[in-house]
Amino acid sequence: MPQKGEKMKKKIALILTAMLTVSLAGCGGGNDKSSESKKDDTGKKAVSNVKSPDNDMVIAVQTDATHLDPHVSSNGNSNLVTNSMYETLLAFDENLEIQPLLAESWEMSEDGLSYTFKLREGVKFHDGEPFNAEAVVANWQRGKEDESLRLASSIKSWVNVTADSEYEVTITLDEPNNTFINKVTQVRMVSPKAIKEKGSDGLAKESAGTGSFKLADRVDGGYTKVVPNEDYWGEKSTLDSLTFQVVPEDGARIAMLQTGEADIIYPVPPIQVEKVENDKSVEVVNLNGLTYRYVTLNQNYKLDDGRQPLKDVKVRQAMNYAFDSKAYCEVVFQGYAKEPTSLFSEAVPYYSEQTPYSLDLEKAKSLMKEAGYEDGFPIDLWVDNTTLEMQGAEFVKQQLAEINIEVNVLPMESTTIADMTSAPENETEVEMWYVNWSPGSYDADGCMRSILHTEKFPPAGYNTAFYSNAEFDAALDKALVTTDEKEITESYAKAQEIAWEECPWMFLGCDNAIIGQKAYVTGVKYLPGGSLIVTNAGPNQYVVDTRKRAAP
């Protein structure tokens, strides 16, 4: 039975968070010393008899979803929230194997240009409309007709989508694409009726997916509450409600987990892992990292005298030689991170190791002098206003001061930064942006194209460095269409080598995903990189084996 005290505690926490968010908006504005990231889980805790105090789950997250229309935004926390309400034809499981979801099976043509999907029957959207082949066609048409949607980027290579029958659909591509199946896992299905009648504004207030949860309530910057979909086609959650609560401050998330105001928190700040592990009612899930930390360097940035320092590769290389990645991983992430040796994590297929930019201040100063910037220059650095992000940005500021670059750290709400970084090249105000990227499609193309390809300048993508290299683009494009494994490997390796040498970013590190949860939580699955699958989330009312703990 739910305990009234615990339920009231959670409700009060939600109200206070919403009030705090409004108030702030009105004001503006480990012990392991090796250079290797601490290992992921290998063992389990003993059997626990911890039981859930209520039937309402709260997941405390660091930043808010930027939009609840799944075709508008594709950042990590937006996906976490929208994935509870919207589903895709195919999906990754916790072992990163692609599994059927809204599609039961699929076949590829011999020329690799078309894929035919057999769809699941008896599925309904939240508004009662049936999911069928025509629904898939409608979602494709939405992306084709509105290039401002993030969906447009996902379906750009789809030249046609045909409803062969009520429950069979064929997607035809403009050319073979060896990442197509991976990318299908990112295209969420929305009710055709809602697309037509509600649009993005309506979808921010009322969900229209096929997922196991549907939208109940939302306060921008505060929380998003969903409730079980009674008509869900699959195994239903046993929860009464699931709330994604925005808690930017690390210490506040930890306190909520320990008191029971939150059932899951993400991320757990590395400096707090040992403290949380010692709480017997809490479990720590430590996942090998896919999250890549970097600082984008807008090459169009101009000083007052008209000079553009970031256009000079020597300056960009100097900034990397001035940065101590090893210290960054230890100081900011307590060893739960790895120094970067390419553009993305070594866990991603087709990773190609590069020679690290190890700390070398003399070389950095020499390059700055050669480029004519021995005295440095001032520059703004945008960063999310969360504890860990701001710590990382301040670390970057301290490092660059050694080569006379005067960094002005500007913390902002994540939703504000999302809007500002989507501005096109001729309107953007970004100079440097402290950011991270984790590929939802778990492929090399997804690690590079959206953030470095010339075609992905905002608002079409996230290339806020406005980096453009024809040879790099060609290597990515070639890898995408070839079917020869050796050629794919060589093309991706070439792309990594080019961008690593040219330094469109400051390469910072790749950190683990550390999640804290109450021992009674069941049904939540975790993917490498920290993605959560909450379809069957529920509380435990019985004695069960609890989840793995982080390595000591």
Side-chain angles (χ1 to χ4, degrees):
M1 292 288 293
Q3 296 179 8
K4 184 177 180 180
E6 290 293 341
K7 292 185 72 119
M8 182 60 68
K9 192 183 292 182
K10 287 184 179 179
K11 290 179 180 178
I12 292 173
L14 290 175
I15 294 170
L16 289 176
T17 299
M19 292 173 61
L20 179 61
T21 301
V22 173
S23 174
L24 289 175
C27 295
N31 298 323
D32 181 358
K33 298 301 179 182
S34 70
S35 62
E36 291 297 309
S37 171
K38 295 185 179 180
K39 303 299 182 182
D40 59 348
D41 300 331
T42 56
K44 289 186 177 181
K45 291 203 307 186
V47 171
S48 169
N49 61 358
V50 179
K51 297 180 181 180
S52 171
D54 58 38
N55 215 35
D56 300 294
M57 181 176 287
V58 172
I59 300 179
V61 294
Q62 193 174 46
T63 57
D64 196 12
T66 57
H67 206 290
L68 294 190
D69 180 347
H71 293 167
V72 170
S73 181
S74 62
N75 69 358
N77 278 342
S78 295
N79 290 345
L80 170 62
V81 175
T82 57
N83 283 349
S84 68
M85 298 177 278
Y86 296 89
E87 296 179 311
T88 54
L89 298 182
L90 309 173
F92 286 101
D93 64 15
E94 62 269 38
N95 299 313
L96 294 189
E97 294 179 357
I98 294 177
Q99 303 291 346
L101 193 56
L102 291 178
E104 294 184 328
S105 62
W106 68 96
E107 292 182 356
M108 182 184 73
S109 63
E110 290 186 6
D111 59 9
L113 290 176
S114 62
Y115 291 77
T116 299
F117 295 86
K118 181 180 179 182
L119 305 180
R120 191 177 300 279
E121 299 183 21
V123 177
K124 291 184 179 180
F125 290 101
H126 296 163
D127 59 4
E129 291 295 298
F131 169 73
N132 52 31
E134 291 294 346
V136 179
V137 173
N139 278 259
W140 165 67
Q141 289 175 333
R142 187 190 191 200
K144 185 179 179 182
E145 294 169 1
D146 188 349
E147 293 185 355
S148 69
L149 299 173
R150 294 296 182 190
L151 172 66
S153 174
S154 299
I155 57 91
K156 184 177 181 180
S157 64
W158 302 13
V159 295
N160 196 28
V161 179
T162 305
D164 305 322
S165 66
E166 186 175 7
Y167 293 106
E168 185 173 286
V169 64
T170 296
I171 299 174
T172 304
L173 308 180
D174 54 2
E175 56 188 353
N177 185 323
N178 58 48
T179 68
F180 170 73
I181 290 297
N182 289 55
K183 294 293 193 292
V184 166
T185 67
Q186 305 303 297
V187 179
R188 294 155 183 85
M189 293 291 129
V190 179
S191 164
K193 181 180 179 181
I195 290 174
K196 183 178 180 180
E197 298 181 1
K198 297 182 181 297
S200 289
D201 290 343
L203 290 171
K205 302 173 183 176
E206 186 176 0
S207 61
T210 62
S212 62
F213 291 92
K214 55 186 179 181
L215 182 62
D217 187 24
R218 173 171 167 82
V219 173
D220 287 348
Y223 64 87
T224 301
K225 182 178 181 180
V226 297
V227 294
N229 173 14
E230 295 179 357
D231 297 320
Y232 185 57
W233 59 268
E235 182 181 350
K236 298 177 178 63
S237 170
T238 58
L239 294 173
D240 290 335
S241 69
L242 171 61
T243 300
F244 300 92
Q245 184 172 343
V246 182
V247 186
E249 207 280 314
D250 290 342
R253 288 197 308 280
I254 293 292
M256 289 178 66
L257 183 65
Q258 292 181 317
T259 62
E261 294 168 40
D263 303 288
I264 299 174
I265 65 170
Y266 178 68
V268 173
I271 198 170
Q272 301 275 14
V273 170
E274 185 174 352
K275 176 182 178 181
V276 176
E277 272 197 307
N278 291 330
D279 185 334
K280 294 182 179 179
S281 72
V282 171
E283 296 165 337
V284 176
V285 182
N286 175 23
L287 303 168
N288 247 341
L290 292 178
T291 301
Y292 193 94
R293 305 271 172 176
Y294 60 101
V295 172
T296 62
L297 307 175
N298 181 1
Q299 297 181 29
N300 298 324
Y301 166 59
K302 284 186 179 181
L303 299 174
D304 290 341
D305 59 12
R307 291 183 299 162
Q308 295 177 283
L310 298 184
K311 274 198 179 297
D312 195 322
V313 67
K314 291 180 180 179
V315 172
R316 302 195 303 270
Q317 289 176 340
M319 295 170 79
N320 276 285
Y321 279 118
F323 187 77
D324 190 342
S325 295
K326 181 177 181 180
Y328 171 78
C329 292
E330 290 296 331
V331 173
V332 179
F333 292 97
Q334 304 295 301
Y336 288 94
K338 288 184 178 180
E339 299 170 62
T341 52
S342 190
L343 308 178
F344 50 85
S345 166
E346 62 187 29
V348 178
Y350 303 112
Y351 157 87
S352 178
E353 184 175 1
Q354 309 298 312
T355 302
Y357 284 93
S358 300
L359 178 64
D360 189 336
L361 272 179
E362 292 306 313
K363 187 166 187 176
K365 291 176 180 179
S366 176
L367 286 167
M368 290 289 283
K369 185 175 182 180
E370 290 176 26
Y373 294 96
E374 184 177 12
D375 295 330
F377 51 85
I379 194 166
D380 289 343
L381 174 60
W382 294 355
V383 62
D384 285 359
N385 63 342
T386 61
T387 307
L388 187 62
E389 302 300 296
M390 289 191 293
Q391 287 175 349
E394 288 293 336
F395 192 92
V396 170
K397 175 180 179 177
Q398 294 167 9
Q399 298 281 286
L400 293 183
E402 295 294 322
I403 54 173
N404 299 318
I405 295 178
E406 183 183 343
V407 176
N408 178 33
V409 176
L410 296 176
M412 289 179 273
E413 295 286 344
S414 60
T415 49
T416 301
I417 290 184
D419 288 339
M420 294 176 70
T421 53
S422 66
E425 184 178 15
N426 63 337
E427 297 178 14
T428 189
E429 297 179 5
V430 67
E431 298 172 9
M432 297 199 305
W433 180 22
Y434 182 98
V435 67
N436 63 79
W437 183 262
S438 181
S441 54
Y442 299 102
D443 63 90
D445 187 82
C447 291
M448 295 184 282
R449 182 174 298 274
S450 289
I451 46 183
L452 287 173
H453 197 284
T454 303
E455 293 181 354
K456 297 301 181 181
F457 285 7
Y462 298 91
N463 183 358
T464 52
F466 297 95
Y467 172 70
S468 179
N469 181 291
E471 192 177 5
F472 172 85
D473 293 347
L476 273 191
D477 295 343
K478 180 180 179 181
L480 200 61
V481 300
T482 187
T483 56
D484 183 85
E485 187 68 22
K486 182 180 179 182
E487 288 186 15
I488 295 173
T489 301
E490 291 175 348
S491 294
Y492 281 136
K494 183 177 182 180
Q496 291 169 73
E497 180 182 357
I498 292 170
W500 188 257
E501 177 70 20
E502 294 211 320
C503 297
W505 310 328
M506 285 181 66
F507 309 112
L508 308 183
C510 190
D511 58 294
N512 287 10
I514 310 174
I515 303 164
Q517 68 172 35
K518 284 295 191 180
Y520 51 70
V521 171
T522 62
V524 178
K525 298 178 181 179
Y526 300 97
L527 276 62
S531 297
L532 277 65
I533 302 174
V534 298
T535 305
N536 306 125
N540 171 44
Q541 302 294 344
Y542 307 97
V543 177
V544 297
D545 285 329
T546 54
R547 288 192 59 86
K548 301 175 182 178
R549 291 176 62 95

